[in-house]
């Protein structure tokens, strides 16, 4: 969201967001694929780790919840309108619809919420310590960024829809 004076001058962002602090190089990062490709067709509303399923039945209203795979133990993790859920290690990575569709993360216990990238995103896949996403502000161009918010890299000038990840492709 931006604002501008009525005379057309002074274009600026209308808000500021504190971003996550980059991790030290010595930090051990979790590995894995955050969401399987078949899950992406449904906006990745469900992801699992161990005996837990993390989900958001309404990605535009929230909250993120979790339950045991047998359907018991339902509890709220975080009160965010979240879509494109990915889980790697103890982190849930997602697009936060409450905050202009920014890339965000929260621990699986609901702690340590943080914004990774302050831009509007449409699609997201996380593998290892990289987030692959399309940027809505740039007409769905493909980018990647480290899960700690460093090394933002544009991968394609073409518009990308239905993002998938297969091997090194």
């Amino acid at each position: 969201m931006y604002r501008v004076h009525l005379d057309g001058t002074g274009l600026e962002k209308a808000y500021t967001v504190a971003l996550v602090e980059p991790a030290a190089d010595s930090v051990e990062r979790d590995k894995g694929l955050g969401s399987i490709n078949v899950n992406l067709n449904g906006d990745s509303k469900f992801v699992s780790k161990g005996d837990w399923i993390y989900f958001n039945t309404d990605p535009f209203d929230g909250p993120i919840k979790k339950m045991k795979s047998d359907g018991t133990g339902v509890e709220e993790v975080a009160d965010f309108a979240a879509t494109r859920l990915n889980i790697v290690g103890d982190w849930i990575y997602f697009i936060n619809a409450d905050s202009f569709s920014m890339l965000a993360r929260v621990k699986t216990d609901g702690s340590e919420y943080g914004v990774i990238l302050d831009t509007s995103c449409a699609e997201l896949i996380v593998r290892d310590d990289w987030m692959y996403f399309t940027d809505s502000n740039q007409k769905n161009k493909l980018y990647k960024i480290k899960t700690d918010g460093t090394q933002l890299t544009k991968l394609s000038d073409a518009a990308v829809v239905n993002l998938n990840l297969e091997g090194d492709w």
Side-chain angles (χ1 to χ4, degrees):
M1 182 179 295
Y2 291 85
R3 66 182 179 187
V4 63
H5 292 285
L6 293 177
D7 66 5
T9 62
L11 179 66
E12 62 184 35
K13 235 177 201 183
Y15 64 93
T16 58
V17 175
L19 301 176
V20 299
E21 291 291 326
D25 288 340
S26 63
V27 172
E28 182 69 26
R29 291 185 176 86
D30 291 306
K31 302 293 182 194
L33 183 61
S35 186
I36 59 172
N37 289 340
V38 71
N39 193 33
L40 300 172
N41 291 331
D43 290 330
S44 301
K45 294 181 211 171
F46 302 89
V47 291
S48 65
K49 180 182 179 196
D51 290 336
W52 289 98
I53 299 170
Y54 298 82
F55 62 97
N56 187 345
T57 56
D58 186 347
F60 301 103
D61 193 28
I64 300 172
K65 296 182 179 181
K66 70 178 181 179
M67 71 178 175
K68 297 237 179 185
S69 56
D70 65 3
T72 63
V74 177
E75 58 187 83
E76 186 174 306
V77 174
D79 191 16
F80 299 113
T83 187
R84 302 293 178 164
L85 299 178
N86 283 256
I87 189 167
V88 178
D90 292 331
W91 290 99
I92 301 170
Y93 298 93
F94 58 98
I95 296 174
N96 187 341
D98 283 339
S99 296
F100 309 109
S101 297
M102 293 181 220
L103 293 181
R105 69 181 186 190
V106 68
K107 289 269 195 166
T108 55
D109 66 3
S111 66
E112 298 186 47
Y113 169 79
V115 173
I116 295 170
L117 186 64
D118 178 12
T119 192
S120 182
C121 300
E123 300 190 39
L124 170 67
I125 301 176
V126 180
R127 183 169 71 188
D128 300 332
D129 54 350
W130 285 99
M131 303 175 77
Y132 300 88
F133 68 96
T134 58
D135 183 336
S136 301
N137 293 330
Q138 299 297 321
K139 299 184 181 179
N140 290 354
K141 305 295 189 228
L142 180 61
Y143 290 83
K144 70 177 183 176
I145 190 169
K146 290 273 196 173
T147 55
D148 68 0
T150 61
Q151 299 185 37
L152 177 63
T153 307
K154 187 181 205 179
L155 297 176
S156 173
D157 283 320
V160 174
V161 293
N162 299 323
L163 185 60
N164 255 311
L165 188 61
E166 181 66 36
D168 290 338
W169 291 87

